[in-house]
Amino acid sequence: MQQPRPTAGRGAADRTGADHRAALGTGDTLDTRDTRDTGDTLDTRDTADPDAGRLALLLDSAFLLLLAASLNRYLTHHSGTAQAPWVIGLSAALAVARPAGSWLDHRRPPAPGRPRRWPLALVVALWVVLVLLAPSFAWCAVPLIYSVLRVLPARAAIPLVGALTLLVVIAEIRLPGGADATLVLLPPAVAGLATGVFLVMARQAARQRALIADLVRTRRELAATERREGTLAERERLAMEIHDTLAQGLSSQQMLLQAAERTWDTHPATARTHVRTAAEVAARNLAEARRFVHGLAPVELSDGRTLDRALRSLAERESAESGLPVRFHLDGTPVPLPTAAQSALLRIAQGALANVREHAGASAAAITLSFLGDQAVLDIADDGQGFDPDAAGPGGGRGYGLPAMRARLRQLGGRLTVESTPGEGTVVSAAIPLTQR
């Protein structure tokens, strides 16, 4: 009988990481409420973000405070002028219009990417008229600039901020006392600094939100992939267990019942023996089915039985049930193996013997379990008709059996080799590295 040269292999798995992309604006817009580039807003408000509401409240409070201070200054110096009633009226209108726009956005949030612009336009128009009448109100432009940057796209907000700043400079020049270099240079410096800081912070917020959205999406995709892989792994496990237990058991029962049918009239005692054996196989299959549905170890490995004892029992049972002489040989000193490794080697032995019984036409078979220091090797050899593994292809030409064996060993970092020649028998060798314990 041909003996194999034990070989072992280790599986390798390559893992690829998700490519985290950061979505940036086009330069025309920076909407940080979500990661979509709407193309028409530089709005950083988010109805679900309490900080956005606090910022709106802060800007409104600052605007009203500056408005009140400017009105007080104006009335202190110009209370008796003909323009005073208009200034007071415009100040009152601004005091109502500014918070009213924020209140409306809070009660009826605008559609994403489409902020309401008419409240801002109304406030800007009232403020421009007021500044033309009373330059003292120019400093209300500071919170107004932030509002412009929050609501309008950058391509519209920056020119408008420039125009508002120019109006502030003109208003400062018109103040009593004449032009002052500080008053001329300070408004553009403040406006430029405010605009630059706001744009940088808005773009950083957009990048951060885009990254968070990408991470969330990647996590969902990973979870979905893991679920699919888990489903496929469980399906493969059940397929291998069914093939190596139920299918092989049904095949044995069929052979025993056919033998009983042939000898029923001539040798009734022998026929009844075959039927009893078939019933025992059916009971064993039922127990196996219940165990693999619950992910338990095979019956042969329950109650602390070792792999060599289970293989010896398998050889004796196969010899008794099929009439094919099967001997077992242990080579080396047994070492403890993980339950998964023992189950895999036992199932491989069962599947290999089923192939021998159904396809090989052999007169004898042998199971050899070898412990070679760094690996455990299981050999199943027969003296049957053999076949050409190269001509049979990767699957070995024997249905699901050999692919299932390879799949089991891949999970443990092992390797399956098949040595066979037509007319000279077959040796199936399964090697598992002991370092995988």
Side-chain angles (χ1 to χ4, degrees):
M1 185 179 303
Q2 181 180 354
Q3 296 295 330
R5 177 180 299 172
T7 58
R10 299 179 183 269
D14 293 329
R15 302 184 181 275
T16 59
D19 179 19
H20 298 286
R21 300 171 302 276
L24 302 181
T26 62
D28 295 334
T29 178
L30 251 175
D31 186 1
T32 59
R33 288 177 297 178
D34 51 31
T35 58
R36 294 173 296 179
D37 188 2
T38 62
D40 49 43
T41 181
L42 208 154
D43 188 5
T44 58
R45 290 175 298 176
D46 189 343
T47 57
D49 185 3
D51 290 337
R54 296 189 186 103
L55 177 60
L57 179 61
L58 177 62
L59 292 177
D60 289 345
S61 301
F63 183 84
L64 294 177
L65 180 61
L66 292 172
L67 182 66
S70 300
L71 179 60
N72 180 67
R73 183 182 185 280
Y74 179 83
L75 294 178
T76 301
H77 298 86
H78 310 285
S79 59
T81 63
Q83 297 176 343
W86 290 97
V87 171
I88 295 174
L90 289 171
S91 298
L94 275 174
V96 173
R98 174 68 194 222
S102 299
W103 177 84
L104 182 61
D105 286 344
H106 176 72
R107 292 297 300 270
R108 295 182 180 179
R114 295 183 177 276
R116 291 187 181 91
R117 298 175 181 175
W118 64 265
L120 176 64
L122 176 61
V123 171
V124 170
L126 291 173
W127 177 80
V128 168
V129 175
L130 186 58
V131 170
L132 292 176
L133 292 176
S136 302
F137 290 85
W139 286 107
C140 293
V142 175
L144 198 58
I145 287 175
Y146 278 103
S147 298
V148 169
L149 293 170
R150 294 181 69 233
V151 175
L152 297 180
R155 60 179 179 270
I158 293 176
L160 181 56
V161 169
L164 296 179
T165 304
L166 178 61
L167 180 61
V168 171
V169 172
I170 295 174
E172 295 293 340
I173 295 175
R174 292 174 55 204
L175 286 174
D180 187 325
T182 302
L183 297 178
V184 172
L185 297 177
L186 186 59
V190 172
L193 179 62
T195 302
V197 171
F198 186 89
L199 290 177
V200 170
M201 293 180 63
R203 292 183 185 277
Q204 289 178 345
R207 294 188 187 100
Q208 185 180 33
R209 295 197 181 200
L211 178 60
I212 292 174
D214 191 59
L215 290 175
V216 170
R217 181 171 59 254
T218 301
R219 185 174 63 180
R220 290 174 179 172
E221 292 173 355
L222 180 60
T225 300
E226 290 177 348
R227 286 194 296 269
R228 287 194 298 268
E229 291 178 350
T231 300
L232 293 176
E234 180 64 10
R235 183 181 302 171
E236 184 178 20
R237 183 186 75 86
L238 292 176
M240 289 188 295
E241 295 291 345
I242 290 173
H243 177 272
D244 293 340
T245 56
L246 300 184
Q248 306 301 345
L250 290 173
S251 176
S252 298
Q253 293 174 53
Q254 182 184 34
M255 294 176 60
L256 289 168
L257 293 176
Q258 288 175 347
E261 183 180 17
R262 288 194 301 267
T263 59
W264 191 264
D265 296 328
T266 56
H267 300 87
T270 303
R272 283 193 291 272
T273 300
H274 290 325
V275 171
R276 284 194 296 270
T277 304
E280 294 173 358
V281 173
R284 190 166 58 249
N285 271 9
L286 179 60
E288 287 284 9
R290 288 171 176 167
R291 294 184 71 84
F292 77 67
V293 164
H294 295 287
L296 301 177
V299 175
E300 294 87 344
L301 295 174
S302 60
D303 300 328
R305 299 177 191 174
T306 59
L307 177 61
D308 56 302
R309 288 181 56 190
L311 292 174
R312 191 181 302 277
S313 299
L314 174 63
E316 295 172 354
R317 186 170 64 250
E318 186 69 23
S319 299
E321 293 179 358
S322 67
L324 174 70
V326 180
R327 62 182 179 84
F328 171 76
H329 176 67
L330 177 63
D331 184 14
T333 303
V335 297
L337 292 175
T339 302
Q342 295 187 69
S343 300
L345 292 177
L346 178 60
R347 295 304 191 202
I348 289 171
Q350 292 172 335
L353 288 179
N355 285 342
V356 172
R357 184 175 63 246
E358 297 175 11
H359 304 289
S363 60
I367 302 175
T368 303
L369 177 62
S370 304
F371 292 91
L372 305 177
D374 63 341
Q375 61 182 352
V377 181
L378 175 67
D379 298 323
I380 303 93
D382 68 77
D383 61 355
Q385 61 188 9
F387 66 102
D388 184 357
D390 295 332
R398 297 196 174 193
Y400 188 73
L402 292 179
M405 297 178 194
R406 290 191 171 93
R408 288 184 184 276
L409 292 173
R410 276 198 304 269
Q411 296 174 357
L412 300 170
R415 184 178 180 181
L416 183 76
T417 58
V418 179
E419 299 178 5
S420 184
T421 302
E424 297 185 10
T426 301
V427 177
V428 175
S429 179
I432 294 180
L434 296 180
T435 54
Q436 295 294 321
R437 290 180 294 169

